[in-house]
Amino acid sequence: IAVLMPKGVDAEARKRAEELSALAGAAKTFTAGLLGNVDFPVRLVAVQRGGGFADGGTILISDAVFRRQKLDSLTAMSIAEAMAKVWLGNAATVRGEGFGVVREGLARYIATQFVEKQFGREAAELERYRQRIAYTAVAKRDAPLNM
């Protein structure tokens, strides 16, 4: 697991990089336990814009993560979800009607399960609450979801 940090970081940022690497490794192991083992490189790349995007084992994270005193839940969920998506769509092709539910929904579910295992039930409940709030806004406007 490689962590590509911004240039000129201090010792605290290096500590954060080690925590991110350990978290990604734990998420990869957790997902492998559920879906099977797939060997792939993981790259956590610090960016100023575009954080949260991930594909094929490369995860873009905000460079602000390295300036924080501890990891935030959004970064942890992003890393865990990216690990699940390597299996759902990359290692195992997911296509056809309803593929979005499997690719996005199942990956989010697995990531939330990982957060619960790693950080406790309260952290997972908080994440589920945040997801419900985000879903409510979409469900009210989306005709297929209303049906």
Side-chain angles (χ1 to χ4, degrees):
I1 297 174
V3 180
L4 305 173
M5 300 181 291
K7 290 185 179 184
V9 295
D10 59 0
E12 191 65 28
R14 291 185 202 293
K15 181 180 174 187
R16 204 70 48 240
E18 290 174 12
E19 290 173 359
L20 286 167
S21 179
L23 181 73
K28 185 176 178 181
T29 303
F30 179 82
T31 306
L34 293 173
L35 302 175
N37 195 18
V38 176
D39 190 30
F40 61 93
V42 176
R43 290 170 300 282
L44 303 170
V45 182
V47 295
Q48 289 182 352
R49 296 181 192 178
F53 177 78
D55 194 22
T58 300
I59 305 163
L60 304 181
I61 56 175
S62 172
D63 61 350
V65 169
F66 296 97
R67 294 188 296 271
R68 296 184 184 132
Q69 291 183 355
K70 62 181 183 174
L71 295 178
D72 61 306
S73 63
L74 187 61
T75 303
M77 276 297 292
S78 178
I79 290 171
E81 196 170 338
M83 291 299 117
K85 284 183 179 179
V86 167
W87 275 266
L88 304 170
N90 290 334
T93 305
V94 180
R95 299 195 196 265
E97 192 170 328
F99 78 94
V101 172
V102 173
R103 172 120 167 106
E104 301 299 322
L106 183 56
R108 179 69 49 99
Y109 174 78
I110 291 170
T112 306
Q113 294 298 104
F114 170 73
V115 166
E116 184 170 353
K117 178 185 173 280
Q118 195 77 9
F119 301 107
R121 184 164 178 80
E122 295 80 24
E125 285 301 320
L126 188 60
E127 183 56 36
R128 287 185 192 100
Y129 180 70
R130 191 184 65 74
Q131 291 170 9
R132 282 186 205 109
I133 290 172
Y135 174 75
T136 305
V138 173
K140 289 181 181 178
R141 293 181 282 134
D142 194 303
L145 285 175
N146 280 332
M147 293 179 178

